[in-house]
Amino acid sequence: MPLALFDLDNTLLAGDSDHAWGTYLCERGLVDAENYRARNDAFYQDYLAGTLDVQAYQDFCQELLGRSELAQLQAWHAEFMRDYVEPMVLAKGEALVREHHRAGDQVVIITATNRFITAPIAARLGVDILLATECEMIDGRYTGRTTDIPCFQEGKVRRLQRWLAETGHSLEGSYFYSDSRNDLPLLEQVSHPVAVDPDPTLRQIAEQRGWKVISLR
């Protein structure tokens, strides 16, 4: 069963769900909008540049999870899904996921964005297996801290390798779809790397190496 691995943000979505969650919090008045927006935007620019301190970013964005009740977080997320995520869902991305399902491939979303944000999105896209940056929970409540290896850059490779060992899958015949230079470590591991609406750095590398380049927009 070949693997079809998908990045999420700016690949299956026409935008970044992690950054959009910060925008949602600011626009709903759930955080100090001026300060939060400035830090959220700065982290996003670091991400685009390939220089993100992923632990510092997770400490920033998971802090709210640690001081909020789970029921409240779920209510906010439902509103976020409706108003922010749904408009970003790409029909061509959904079609590509369905195509791999029909082919009998094992579809996996692998994303740096944390599981709180992405689990409902993966379910919305019909994908059962999600590898994401993890949020620590104790006694049914988020602590505001990460746990496990952040699923970012080389961390994606490490998390996937562990999952392969646990499940018996392999990368033989595998696909990985991504837009980002940050995913080069994993793109270099698969049989069929595919650059999706790639950033300038990834586009240049994909063209140099003869990787497939597509648009889902």
Side-chain angles (χ1 to χ4, degrees), residues 10 19 45 64-65 70 75 89 103 109 115 125 127 130 147 170 177 182 199 202-203 211 215:
N10 287 306
H19 186 261
Q45 290 305 310
L64 178 73
L65 305 186
L70 184 58
V89 173
I109 288 176
R115 184 172 294 274
L125 295 171
V127 178
L130 170 67
T147 183
S170 80
Y177 298 88
N182 290 296
D199 64 38
L202 179 55
R203 180 178 293 277
W211 294 351
S215 177

PDB file of all heavy atoms in Angstrom, residues 10 19 45 64-65 70 75 89 103 109 115 125 127 130 147 170 177 182 199 202-203 211 215:
ATOM      1  N   ASN A  10      -1.087  25.668   3.085  1.00  0.00           N
ATOM      2  CA  ASN A  10      -0.667  26.142   1.767  1.00  0.00           C
ATOM      3  C   ASN A  10      -0.405  24.999   0.787  1.00  0.00           C
ATOM      4  O   ASN A  10       0.225  25.197  -0.245  1.00  0.00           O
ATOM      5  CB  ASN A  10       0.553  27.062   1.871  1.00  0.00           C
ATOM      6  CG  ASN A  10       0.182  28.411   2.429  1.00  0.00           C
ATOM      7  OD1 ASN A  10      -0.710  29.080   1.918  1.00  0.00           O
ATOM      8  ND2 ASN A  10       0.846  28.822   3.498  1.00  0.00           N
ATOM      9  N   HIS A  19      -1.334  30.160  11.378  1.00  0.00           N
ATOM     10  CA  HIS A  19      -1.360  31.622  11.383  1.00  0.00           C
ATOM     11  C   HIS A  19      -2.800  32.133  11.448  1.00  0.00           C
ATOM     12  O   HIS A  19      -3.101  33.113  12.143  1.00  0.00           O
ATOM     13  CB  HIS A  19      -0.659  32.166  10.147  1.00  0.00           C
ATOM     14  CG  HIS A  19      -0.515  33.652  10.139  1.00  0.00           C
ATOM     15  ND1 HIS A  19      -1.363  34.479   9.437  1.00  0.00           N
ATOM     16  CD2 HIS A  19       0.374  34.471  10.776  1.00  0.00           C
ATOM     17  CE1 HIS A  19      -0.991  35.735   9.631  1.00  0.00           C
ATOM     18  NE2 HIS A  19       0.043  35.761  10.428  1.00  0.00           N
ATOM     19  N   GLN A  45       6.761  34.932   9.387  1.00  0.00           N
ATOM     20  CA  GLN A  45       7.831  35.347   8.479  1.00  0.00           C
ATOM     21  C   GLN A  45       9.080  34.488   8.679  1.00  0.00           C
ATOM     22  O   GLN A  45       9.761  34.135   7.699  1.00  0.00           O
ATOM     23  CB  GLN A  45       8.154  36.826   8.680  1.00  0.00           C
ATOM     24  CG  GLN A  45       7.058  37.771   8.201  1.00  0.00           C
ATOM     25  CD  GLN A  45       6.673  37.528   6.749  1.00  0.00           C
ATOM     26  OE1 GLN A  45       7.532  37.465   5.862  1.00  0.00           O
ATOM     27  NE2 GLN A  45       5.381  37.398   6.497  1.00  0.00           N
ATOM     28  N   LEU A  64      -2.255  29.649  25.200  1.00  0.00           N
ATOM     29  CA  LEU A  64      -3.703  29.818  25.363  1.00  0.00           C
ATOM     30  C   LEU A  64      -4.390  28.499  25.684  1.00  0.00           C
ATOM     31  O   LEU A  64      -5.344  28.456  26.477  1.00  0.00           O
ATOM     32  CB  LEU A  64      -4.304  30.422  24.098  1.00  0.00           C
ATOM     33  CG  LEU A  64      -5.829  30.608  24.120  1.00  0.00           C
ATOM     34  CD1 LEU A  64      -6.197  31.774  25.028  1.00  0.00           C
ATOM     35  CD2 LEU A  64      -6.378  30.830  22.722  1.00  0.00           C
ATOM     36  N   LEU A  65      -3.900  27.400  25.089  1.00  0.00           N
ATOM     37  CA  LEU A  65      -4.509  26.095  25.347  1.00  0.00           C
ATOM     38  C   LEU A  65      -4.390  25.742  26.825  1.00  0.00           C
ATOM     39  O   LEU A  65      -5.311  25.160  27.407  1.00  0.00           O
ATOM     40  CB  LEU A  65      -3.836  25.007  24.505  1.00  0.00           C
ATOM     41  CG  LEU A  65      -3.775  25.195  22.989  1.00  0.00           C
ATOM     42  CD1 LEU A  65      -3.200  23.956  22.316  1.00  0.00           C
ATOM     43  CD2 LEU A  65      -5.150  25.529  22.412  1.00  0.00           C
ATOM     44  N   LEU A  70     -11.267  22.977  28.065  1.00  0.00           N
ATOM     45  CA  LEU A  70     -11.359  22.223  26.816  1.00  0.00           C
ATOM     46  C   LEU A  70     -12.656  22.520  26.080  1.00  0.00           C
ATOM     47  O   LEU A  70     -12.655  22.687  24.848  1.00  0.00           O
ATOM     48  CB  LEU A  70     -11.238  20.728  27.105  1.00  0.00           C
ATOM     49  CG  LEU A  70     -11.210  19.810  25.883  1.00  0.00           C
ATOM     50  CD1 LEU A  70     -10.053  20.157  24.952  1.00  0.00           C
ATOM     51  CD2 LEU A  70     -11.115  18.352  26.333  1.00  0.00           C
ATOM     52  N   ALA A  75     -15.351  24.968  21.357  1.00  0.00           N
ATOM     53  CA  ALA A  75     -16.343  25.891  20.801  1.00  0.00           C
ATOM     54  C   ALA A  75     -15.664  26.926  19.907  1.00  0.00           C
ATOM     55  O   ALA A  75     -16.165  27.244  18.815  1.00  0.00           O
ATOM     56  CB  ALA A  75     -17.107  26.577  21.933  1.00  0.00           C
ATOM     57  N   VAL A  89     -10.310  25.591   2.208  1.00  0.00           N
ATOM     58  CA  VAL A  89     -10.249  24.226   1.675  1.00  0.00           C
ATOM     59  C   VAL A  89     -10.252  24.275   0.152  1.00  0.00           C
ATOM     60  O   VAL A  89     -11.111  24.909  -0.459  1.00  0.00           O
ATOM     61  CB  VAL A  89     -11.425  23.380   2.201  1.00  0.00           C
ATOM     62  CG1 VAL A  89     -11.447  22.015   1.508  1.00  0.00           C
ATOM     63  CG2 VAL A  89     -11.325  23.205   3.714  1.00  0.00           C
ATOM     64  N   ALA A 103      -7.139   4.854  -5.328  1.00  0.00           N
ATOM     65  CA  ALA A 103      -6.025   4.023  -5.801  1.00  0.00           C
ATOM     66  C   ALA A 103      -5.580   2.999  -4.757  1.00  0.00           C
ATOM     67  O   ALA A 103      -4.725   2.150  -5.039  1.00  0.00           O
ATOM     68  CB  ALA A 103      -4.850   4.915  -6.184  1.00  0.00           C
ATOM     69  N   ILE A 109      -1.722  12.942   6.506  1.00  0.00           N
ATOM     70  CA  ILE A 109      -1.358  14.355   6.607  1.00  0.00           C
ATOM     71  C   ILE A 109      -0.234  14.463   7.623  1.00  0.00           C
ATOM     72  O   ILE A 109      -0.332  13.935   8.734  1.00  0.00           O
ATOM     73  CB  ILE A 109      -2.555  15.229   7.012  1.00  0.00           C
ATOM     74  CG1 ILE A 109      -3.540  15.346   5.845  1.00  0.00           C
ATOM     75  CG2 ILE A 109      -2.094  16.624   7.449  1.00  0.00           C
ATOM     76  CD1 ILE A 109      -4.806  16.100   6.173  1.00  0.00           C
ATOM     77  N   ARG A 115      -1.710  19.496  16.826  1.00  0.00           N
ATOM     78  CA  ARG A 115      -2.854  18.590  16.672  1.00  0.00           C
ATOM     79  C   ARG A 115      -4.173  19.253  17.065  1.00  0.00           C
ATOM     80  O   ARG A 115      -5.217  18.941  16.479  1.00  0.00           O
ATOM     81  CB  ARG A 115      -2.622  17.321  17.490  1.00  0.00           C
ATOM     82  CG  ARG A 115      -3.720  16.269  17.328  1.00  0.00           C
ATOM     83  CD  ARG A 115      -3.336  14.963  18.004  1.00  0.00           C
ATOM     84  NE  ARG A 115      -2.199  14.344  17.361  1.00  0.00           N
ATOM     85  CZ  ARG A 115      -2.278  13.532  16.301  1.00  0.00           C
ATOM     86  NH1 ARG A 115      -3.446  13.259  15.764  1.00  0.00           N
ATOM     87  NH2 ARG A 115      -1.184  13.001  15.789  1.00  0.00           N
ATOM     88  N   LEU A 125     -11.158  16.672   5.869  1.00  0.00           N
ATOM     89  CA  LEU A 125     -10.619  16.286   4.568  1.00  0.00           C
ATOM     90  C   LEU A 125     -10.679  14.785   4.321  1.00  0.00           C
ATOM     91  O   LEU A 125     -10.229  14.307   3.272  1.00  0.00           O
ATOM     92  CB  LEU A 125      -9.172  16.787   4.441  1.00  0.00           C
ATOM     93  CG  LEU A 125      -9.003  18.309   4.436  1.00  0.00           C
ATOM     94  CD1 LEU A 125      -7.524  18.683   4.520  1.00  0.00           C
ATOM     95  CD2 LEU A 125      -9.644  18.932   3.194  1.00  0.00           C
ATOM     96  N   VAL A 127      -9.151  12.356   6.083  1.00  0.00           N
ATOM     97  CA  VAL A 127      -7.870  11.695   6.305  1.00  0.00           C
ATOM     98  C   VAL A 127      -7.806  11.226   7.752  1.00  0.00           C
ATOM     99  O   VAL A 127      -7.889  12.033   8.684  1.00  0.00           O
ATOM    100  CB  VAL A 127      -6.694  12.636   5.984  1.00  0.00           C
ATOM    101  CG1 VAL A 127      -5.367  11.942   6.263  1.00  0.00           C
ATOM    102  CG2 VAL A 127      -6.765  13.092   4.531  1.00  0.00           C
ATOM    103  N   LEU A 130      -2.959  11.317  11.016  1.00  0.00           N
ATOM    104  CA  LEU A 130      -2.388  12.650  11.138  1.00  0.00           C
ATOM    105  C   LEU A 130      -1.131  12.580  11.985  1.00  0.00           C
ATOM    106  O   LEU A 130      -1.170  12.112  13.124  1.00  0.00           O
ATOM    107  CB  LEU A 130      -3.400  13.599  11.795  1.00  0.00           C
ATOM    108  CG  LEU A 130      -2.882  14.981  12.212  1.00  0.00           C
ATOM    109  CD1 LEU A 130      -2.517  15.819  10.986  1.00  0.00           C
ATOM    110  CD2 LEU A 130      -3.932  15.702  13.071  1.00  0.00           C
ATOM    111  N   THR A 147       4.678  18.107  23.495  1.00  0.00           N
ATOM    112  CA  THR A 147       5.249  16.823  23.867  1.00  0.00           C
ATOM    113  C   THR A 147       5.680  16.140  22.582  1.00  0.00           C
ATOM    114  O   THR A 147       5.172  16.444  21.505  1.00  0.00           O
ATOM    115  CB  THR A 147       4.229  15.969  24.650  1.00  0.00           C
ATOM    116  OG1 THR A 147       4.846  14.751  25.067  1.00  0.00           O
ATOM    117  CG2 THR A 147       3.001  15.645  23.823  1.00  0.00           C
ATOM    118  N   SER A 170       6.289   1.349   4.370  1.00  0.00           N
ATOM    119  CA  SER A 170       7.592   1.770   3.874  1.00  0.00           C
ATOM    120  C   SER A 170       7.406   2.959   2.939  1.00  0.00           C
ATOM    121  O   SER A 170       6.277   3.303   2.560  1.00  0.00           O
ATOM    122  CB  SER A 170       8.280   0.626   3.130  1.00  0.00           C
ATOM    123  OG  SER A 170       7.767   0.502   1.813  1.00  0.00           O
ATOM    124  N   TYR A 177       3.458  15.610  -0.951  1.00  0.00           N
ATOM    125  CA  TYR A 177       3.032  16.870  -1.545  1.00  0.00           C
ATOM    126  C   TYR A 177       3.269  17.995  -0.544  1.00  0.00           C
ATOM    127  O   TYR A 177       2.761  17.949   0.577  1.00  0.00           O
ATOM    128  CB  TYR A 177       1.541  16.818  -1.880  1.00  0.00           C
ATOM    129  CG  TYR A 177       1.154  15.760  -2.884  1.00  0.00           C
ATOM    130  CD1 TYR A 177       0.836  14.463  -2.479  1.00  0.00           C
ATOM    131  CD2 TYR A 177       1.077  16.061  -4.245  1.00  0.00           C
ATOM    132  CE1 TYR A 177       0.458  13.500  -3.402  1.00  0.00           C
ATOM    133  CE2 TYR A 177       0.706  15.102  -5.172  1.00  0.00           C
ATOM    134  CZ  TYR A 177       0.402  13.824  -4.747  1.00  0.00           C
ATOM    135  OH  TYR A 177       0.031  12.867  -5.660  1.00  0.00           O
ATOM    136  N   ASN A 182      10.680  24.255   3.973  1.00  0.00           N
ATOM    137  CA  ASN A 182      10.878  23.587   5.254  1.00  0.00           C
ATOM    138  C   ASN A 182      10.717  22.077   5.155  1.00  0.00           C
ATOM    139  O   ASN A 182      11.165  21.351   6.048  1.00  0.00           O
ATOM    140  CB  ASN A 182       9.914  24.145   6.299  1.00  0.00           C
ATOM    141  CG  ASN A 182      10.253  25.571   6.701  1.00  0.00           C
ATOM    142  OD1 ASN A 182      11.310  25.816   7.261  1.00  0.00           O
ATOM    143  ND2 ASN A 182       9.368  26.506   6.394  1.00  0.00           N
ATOM    144  N   ASP A 199       6.844  27.641  -2.644  1.00  0.00           N
ATOM    145  CA  ASP A 199       7.518  28.911  -2.382  1.00  0.00           C
ATOM    146  C   ASP A 199       8.704  29.020  -3.343  1.00  0.00           C
ATOM    147  O   ASP A 199       9.113  28.032  -3.972  1.00  0.00           O
ATOM    148  CB  ASP A 199       7.924  29.027  -0.916  1.00  0.00           C
ATOM    149  CG  ASP A 199       8.958  27.998  -0.457  1.00  0.00           C
ATOM    150  OD1 ASP A 199       9.883  27.676  -1.235  1.00  0.00           O
ATOM    151  OD2 ASP A 199       8.863  27.515   0.684  1.00  0.00           O
ATOM    152  N   LEU A 202      11.607  26.398  -2.903  1.00  0.00           N
ATOM    153  CA  LEU A 202      11.238  25.032  -3.273  1.00  0.00           C
ATOM    154  C   LEU A 202      11.018  24.917  -4.779  1.00  0.00           C
ATOM    155  O   LEU A 202      11.412  23.914  -5.393  1.00  0.00           O
ATOM    156  CB  LEU A 202       9.987  24.590  -2.516  1.00  0.00           C
ATOM    157  CG  LEU A 202       9.498  23.174  -2.858  1.00  0.00           C
ATOM    158  CD1 LEU A 202      10.599  22.137  -2.664  1.00  0.00           C
ATOM    159  CD2 LEU A 202       8.262  22.818  -2.041  1.00  0.00           C
ATOM    160  N   ARG A 203      10.430  25.918  -5.386  1.00  0.00           N
ATOM    161  CA  ARG A 203      10.222  25.865  -6.834  1.00  0.00           C
ATOM    162  C   ARG A 203      11.548  25.735  -7.574  1.00  0.00           C
ATOM    163  O   ARG A 203      11.690  24.919  -8.489  1.00  0.00           O
ATOM    164  CB  ARG A 203       9.467  27.107  -7.312  1.00  0.00           C
ATOM    165  CG  ARG A 203       9.207  27.106  -8.834  1.00  0.00           C
ATOM    166  CD  ARG A 203       8.415  28.312  -9.259  1.00  0.00           C
ATOM    167  NE  ARG A 203       7.056  28.282  -8.735  1.00  0.00           N
ATOM    168  CZ  ARG A 203       6.062  27.605  -9.305  1.00  0.00           C
ATOM    169  NH1 ARG A 203       6.285  26.901 -10.421  1.00  0.00           N
ATOM    170  NH2 ARG A 203       4.865  27.646  -8.784  1.00  0.00           N
ATOM    171  N   TRP A 211      11.682  17.513 -10.120  1.00  0.00           N
ATOM    172  CA  TRP A 211      10.504  17.092  -9.385  1.00  0.00           C
ATOM    173  C   TRP A 211       9.243  17.657 -10.025  1.00  0.00           C
ATOM    174  O   TRP A 211       9.269  18.745 -10.624  1.00  0.00           O
ATOM    175  CB  TRP A 211      10.567  17.599  -7.938  1.00  0.00           C
ATOM    176  CG  TRP A 211      11.662  16.996  -7.107  1.00  0.00           C
ATOM    177  CD1 TRP A 211      12.474  15.935  -7.441  1.00  0.00           C
ATOM    178  CD2 TRP A 211      12.075  17.405  -5.799  1.00  0.00           C
ATOM    179  NE1 TRP A 211      13.357  15.669  -6.435  1.00  0.00           N
ATOM    180  CE2 TRP A 211      13.138  16.560  -5.396  1.00  0.00           C
ATOM    181  CE3 TRP A 211      11.645  18.407  -4.930  1.00  0.00           C
ATOM    182  CZ2 TRP A 211      13.779  16.694  -4.167  1.00  0.00           C
ATOM    183  CZ3 TRP A 211      12.290  18.560  -3.708  1.00  0.00           C
ATOM    184  CH2 TRP A 211      13.334  17.702  -3.331  1.00  0.00           C
ATOM    185  N   SER A 215      -0.236  22.797  -9.249  1.00  0.00           N
ATOM    186  CA  SER A 215      -1.028  23.801  -8.529  1.00  0.00           C
ATOM    187  C   SER A 215      -2.383  23.201  -8.182  1.00  0.00           C
ATOM    188  O   SER A 215      -3.006  22.518  -9.008  1.00  0.00           O
ATOM    189  CB  SER A 215      -1.236  25.048  -9.385  1.00  0.00           C
ATOM    190  OG  SER A 215      -2.073  25.968  -8.684  1.00  0.00           O
TER     191      SER A 215
END
